[in-house]
Amino acid sequence: MKIRPRRLRQNQNIRDLLEETTVSANDLIYPVFVKDGIESKEAISTMPGIYRHSLESLIYEIDEAINLGIKAIALFPVIDASLKTDDAKEAYNPEGLMQKSIRAIKTRFPELIVISDIALDPYTSHGHDGLIEDGKIINDETVVILTRMALVQADAGADIVAPSDMMDGRIAAIREALNQNNYQETMIMSYAAKYCSALYNPFREALDSLADNKSSSESIPSDKKTYQMNYANSQEAIIEADLDISEGADILMVKPAAWYGDIITKFKARYQQTIAAYQVSGEYAMIMNAAQANIIDKNKAMHESLVSIKRAGADLILSYFAKDFLLR
């Protein structure tokens, strides 16, 4: 046999030398939760090892992450139920939890990249990402609120605003508003292909934003299928990404990551923009729960999962494993 591929796998040094895909701290973004009204941190039952943080404990958590080499966080707020309303007005309160947290983080860690979430689900009483009228999610009125959110977050110091709502036209509206208000340097990470997935529930539990469990009234949509994408479709993702690029998106996101490697690969082949992928709460929870049940090896599964996302074409990976991966 002239050709023996196993020659290239015969020992660890050779395998390391020829390894095609590697994941480093420079590839990872760490999603974190900040909550009002708690003194330290509280566990999220569906996400072992992940916590809702007080602002004080979040600063400590970020300090640990930075010391491991992490350069960016994605920040998600958990606000008090009394502040959640149908019109989501707390979303653009300049003194709200998100804005207060961004300012505190940037004061303590000015070089850290802070990515702030643009969506209404943490702020609405019904848990949806948009305003509701006559039992439907209304698009253009929601975009007005999203734009106001982006402005107060940019003013607080967010480096990247990340619209995760999937409303039509929101990238153009946010880019125009940022430019008109002297935030030309604020980047937009668009959730260009956010699928209506079964893998989000642990995240929604973390935010107390389980829209699917709040649908007893006919005036509230029973799911998010009219704005999040059908997971059977891939060409639709190209349409969404083309629009977001034309409207001014700097970074394109695919969410979830693991079951959507084909979409990540399509984006990487088609676009010059940076491609991000979100290893979501359900992906994290499945690995953690299987590891706790001694079904799989946590570190091996964690490493393999992140490499697979990078191999598919992701330049950046949002992952709850970010700290564990760098500690392994």
Side-chain angles (χ1 to χ4, degrees):
M1 295 174 64
K2 292 182 179 180
I3 300 174
R4 290 181 178 270
R6 286 187 58 196
R7 278 195 289 262
L8 304 180
R9 304 194 291 267
Q10 62 184 289
N11 64 53
Q12 190 62 51
N13 283 344
I14 291 174
R15 292 192 295 273
D16 289 346
L17 187 66
L18 300 178
E19 190 165 85
E20 298 174 22
T21 304
T22 58
V23 177
S24 75
N26 291 339
D27 304 312
L28 298 174
I29 296 168
Y30 187 33
V32 293
F33 299 97
V34 62
K35 181 177 180 180
D36 259 335
I38 57 175
E39 294 184 1
S40 181
K41 63 183 183 181
E42 60 183 30
I44 301 169
S45 62
T46 51
M47 299 175 69
I50 302 298
Y51 298 88
R52 304 179 190 91
H53 288 276
S54 67
L55 189 50
E56 182 179 353
S57 72
L58 180 62
I59 295 297
Y60 179 78
E61 180 78 359
I62 291 172
D63 190 47
E64 285 190 343
I66 289 172
N67 288 334
L68 290 169
I70 290 171
K71 298 176 175 63
I73 63 160
L75 184 62
F76 298 95
V78 186
I79 71 168
D80 190 88
S82 65
L83 297 174
K84 297 185 179 189
T85 57
D86 289 349
D87 60 4
K89 64 181 180 180
E90 184 64 18
Y92 51 87
N93 175 4
E95 301 305 318
L97 175 62
M98 176 68 100
Q99 288 66 249
K100 179 173 64 178
S101 300
I102 293 170
R103 286 192 291 268
I105 293 166
K106 293 298 285 186
T107 298
R108 178 68 175 81
F109 308 108
E111 299 303 315
L112 180 73
I113 303 301
V114 175
I115 303 168
S116 58
D117 183 55
I118 305 290
L120 301 192
D121 53 323
Y123 305 95
T124 53
S125 51
H126 45 72
H128 276 285
D129 298 54
L131 304 177
I132 297 176
E133 185 176 283
D134 298 328
K136 295 180 180 180
I137 304 297
I138 51 175
N139 192 96
D140 296 1
E141 294 84 350
T142 296
V143 170
V144 172
I145 305 301
L146 298 172
T147 302
R148 295 181 70 175
M149 287 181 70
L151 287 175
V152 296
Q153 291 178 10
D155 186 66
D159 301 281
I160 301 174
V161 293
S164 62
D165 55 285
M166 291 300 289
M167 297 297 130
D168 294 340
R170 86 275 202 215
I171 303 301
I174 290 171
R175 184 72 273 165
E176 182 179 6
L178 290 172
N179 289 350
Q180 289 179 349
N181 288 273
N182 295 318
Y183 297 115
Q184 294 91 341
E185 300 302 314
T186 303
M187 294 167 277
I188 299 177
M189 176 188 285
S190 166
Y191 285 58
K194 182 178 181 179
Y195 284 89
C196 193
S197 172
L199 297 174
Y200 301 149
N201 268 20
F203 175 91
R204 292 173 184 167
E205 188 267 338
L207 294 187
D208 187 27
S209 180
L210 287 163
D212 293 351
N213 292 342
K214 298 180 179 180
S215 305
S216 58
S217 170
E218 292 184 2
S219 64
I220 300 175
S222 60
D223 54 44
K224 302 191 176 190
K225 291 180 180 179
T226 66
Y227 49 100
Q228 294 179 359
M229 286 178 51
N230 183 345
Y231 56 73
N233 295 352
S234 62
Q235 185 58 35
E236 187 180 3
I238 300 300
I239 295 169
E240 290 281 4
D242 284 350
L243 284 169
D244 287 355
I245 290 170
S246 71
E247 293 177 9
D250 301 289
I251 302 169
L252 301 176
M253 166 88 77
V254 176
K255 180 181 180 182
W259 295 349
Y260 298 85
D262 60 320
I263 308 302
I264 298 169
T265 300
K266 284 177 184 288
F267 277 21
K268 186 64 175 178
R270 184 178 177 92
Y271 303 117
Q272 298 302 310
Q273 278 75 8
T274 298
I275 308 301
Y278 199 147
Q279 186 181 47
V280 298
S281 58
E283 297 171 69
Y284 173 85
M286 286 192 292
I287 291 173
M288 289 297 292
N289 282 285
Q292 289 182 348
N294 294 317
I295 297 170
I296 60 174
D297 181 287
K298 172 196 161 185
N299 283 343
K300 289 180 180 179
M302 170 181 66
H303 185 268
E304 184 177 344
S305 69
L306 291 172
V307 167
S308 75
I309 297 166
K310 181 81 180 291
R311 190 186 65 239
D315 301 295
L316 302 172
I317 305 171
L318 286 80
S319 176
Y320 302 98
F321 282 122
K323 277 181 60 183
D324 279 355
F325 179 81
L326 298 172
L327 280 167
R328 78 194 194 288

